[in-house]
Amino acid sequence: MKNKKPHIVFLTPGFAASEKDSTTIPALQVYLKNLQTALPDAKFTLIAFQFPFSKKTYSWNGMKVIPLNGRNKHLKKLWTWNKALRILKKHHRKQPITAIHSFWIGECSMIGTRFAKKHALNHITTVMGQEAHVTNTYVESLKNSETKICTLSKNQHALLLEKHHINSTIIPWQLDTNSFPELQASSIDILGVGSLNEVKNYSTFIAVISLLVSTNPALKVGIIGEGNQRSLLEKQIQELHLENHIKLLGKLSRKEVLAKMAQASVLLHTSTYESFGFVFLEALYSGMQIVSFPVGIAENSDYWQVCNSESEMVQACEKGLSTTKENKERIASPCKTESVSSYLKYYNE
């Protein structure tokens, strides 16, 4: 980017449909806002391959967002890719692109690699999800390329290396602490936050709560999120007679999620996989104790119990609940690397 006005293009499967949409990939939203602050004179363009389900270009906090409206339809894949390449070519001609940053090892990283190679551009791919450890044909497009590959945590780095033999640089997300409400005395004992899907493993969450209720008859629990497992979880709650203890709170805005965290004591996170776990940073800064499996950035500490079984989670929750509910303490992110400055080095190469 030397001697050029920076023009960075971001490629992502999906993005916030508007500035009011706070729940779509919040970590990416926080990162982009911080990057705009660091590079006030730069031009940013974001291409969203699959969603929002719209064809209308819009502005998000001053950034141009171009949705391709792929709608996750397999038959539209080739059309979507060709459209992305045409848009990249058009924008590169109008104002030369200085770097491309793609998210997930998938169609976005493949298109980014192809365009960057043709035009000798810096290309960075951030590994965002389960693609680090599952079979993924898109990985081949990254091998023997000049793409800089970044992971979010030590766990994710190790999985990518083990499964796909790809080394990476760890650049964790940072938390924007300006939007957090004041801490409060706990009115919620245990909180779960995340989509109601198989990976988040809420069946184990509910089983843990069932065991805890026997010694904590007044236990108050909330689960924030929506997903295809909701009906199954409602049935499990009913069968275990936990209706008076567990409330399914549905999908909430990020502001509402942070408000609930400020009122809660323990984040119980039973997910079987996390690439990072942005919710962990939010919980720590909200003064919560965390109980989780060894996923994402999980690390044992005075405020975080990392478990390997359901029974260990029960004991860890008991310990967390015994911590005073009146004097919460905010815990700053354990991630020492500054995301923006780390990525800027790659953008500038």
Side-chain angles (χ1 to χ4, degrees):
M1 294 197 307
K2 295 177 181 178
N3 302 319
K4 294 181 182 179
K5 183 177 180 179
H7 180 194
I8 305 171
V9 176
F10 302 95
L11 308 179
T12 175
F15 193 64
S18 70
E19 292 177 11
K20 294 180 180 179
D21 178 359
S22 61
T23 60
T24 301
I25 323 177
L28 178 56
Q29 292 190 43
V30 169
Y31 170 72
L32 292 177
K33 288 177 182 178
N34 289 337
L35 183 63
Q36 287 177 305
T37 300
L39 295 176
D41 297 324
K43 178 179 180 179
F44 301 105
T45 305
L46 187 146
I47 302 175
F49 282 46
Q50 301 301 328
F51 60 94
F53 296 161
S54 169
K55 298 179 181 178
K56 187 177 180 180
T57 297
Y58 59 98
S59 176
W60 178 85
N61 291 291
M63 180 180 298
K64 185 176 184 180
V65 180
I66 306 170
L68 303 185
N69 197 34
R71 292 179 173 262
N72 297 310
K73 292 184 178 180
H74 183 74
L75 293 178
K76 291 187 70 174
K77 287 285 188 181
L78 187 59
W79 178 89
T80 301
W81 299 345
N82 286 333
K83 187 174 181 180
L85 288 168
R86 290 197 301 271
I87 291 171
L88 284 167
K89 183 178 179 180
K90 175 184 175 182
H91 281 74
H92 189 49
R93 188 167 56 243
K94 292 175 75 172
Q95 181 177 333
I97 296 170
T98 51
I100 297 175
H101 191 166
S102 60
F103 296 88
W104 280 271
I105 297 179
E107 57 184 355
C108 295
S109 63
M110 179 188 70
I111 295 300
T113 297
R114 183 183 303 180
F115 192 85
K117 181 178 181 180
K118 182 176 181 179
H119 298 277
L121 302 174
N122 288 338
H123 177 222
I124 302 93
T125 289
T126 298
V127 188
M128 295 283 281
Q130 297 184 66
E131 74 269 33
H133 75 107
V134 299
T135 301
N136 185 345
T137 57
Y138 290 106
V139 167
E140 296 305 315
S141 66
L142 294 177
K143 292 181 177 179
N144 301 317
S145 75
E146 298 298 318
T147 298
K148 289 85 174 176
I149 302 172
C150 300
T151 42
L152 302 171
S153 64
K154 292 179 181 178
N155 284 331
Q156 191 189 38
H157 173 275
L159 287 169
L160 184 67
L161 188 60
E162 178 184 353
K163 177 67 177 181
H164 298 294
H165 311 293
I166 292 179
N167 206 353
S168 62
T169 300
I170 301 172
I171 303 180
W173 292 125
Q174 295 298 125
L175 190 65
D176 178 5
T177 59
N178 295 323
S179 56
F180 282 72
E182 292 295 320
L183 300 184
Q184 303 175 31
S186 296
S187 57
I188 302 171
D189 296 307
I190 296 176
L191 191 65
V193 181
S195 299
L196 308 186
N197 57 37
E198 291 182 5
V199 174
K200 298 305 181 186
N201 190 29
Y202 276 112
S203 59
T204 294
F205 181 105
I206 294 170
V208 169
I209 299 304
S210 179
L211 293 171
L212 285 168
V213 165
S214 62
T215 53
N216 298 269
L219 198 68
K220 295 180 180 179
V221 180
I223 296 177
I224 299 172
E226 277 295 346
N228 59 17
Q229 297 277 301
R230 182 174 181 121
S231 60
L232 293 175
L233 299 176
E234 287 175 335
K235 182 179 180 181
Q236 185 181 5
I237 290 170
Q238 291 170 358
E239 289 175 345
L240 294 173
H241 308 292
L242 296 173
E243 299 96 324
N244 294 329
H245 298 282
I246 301 177
K247 302 300 180 185
L248 297 181
L249 302 172
K251 183 178 180 179
L252 303 180
S253 69
R254 187 161 183 266
K255 181 179 180 180
E256 291 171 318
V257 173
L258 297 182
K260 291 293 184 184
M261 285 186 163
Q263 302 164 13
S265 293
V266 176
L267 176 76
L268 175 57
H269 198 73
T270 50
S271 179
T272 57
Y273 179 85
E274 292 288 346
S275 57
F276 180 76
F278 200 62
V279 69
F280 293 147
L281 299 189
E282 294 170 329
L284 292 176
Y285 200 73
S286 296
M288 300 178 72
Q289 296 281 311
I290 298 178
V291 176
S292 78
F293 288 126
V295 295
I297 57 169
E299 188 172 335
N300 273 310
S301 69
D302 291 340
Y303 44 82
W304 195 332
Q305 304 298 311
V306 181
C307 306
N308 292 296
S309 68
E310 187 177 298
S311 59
E312 286 184 11
M313 283 191 157
V314 172
Q315 295 175 13
C317 285
E318 291 277 13
K319 181 178 179 181
L321 290 170
S322 68
T323 303
T324 176
K325 298 181 180 180
E326 301 297 329
N327 299 311
K328 294 182 179 179
E329 179 184 358
R330 293 196 188 278
I331 303 297
S333 167
C335 304
K336 304 300 182 183
T337 305
E338 177 61 47
S339 301
V340 170
S341 59
S342 298
Y343 279 119
L344 281 177
K345 293 176 183 177
Y346 280 148
Y347 298 159
N348 281 301
E349 285 184 351

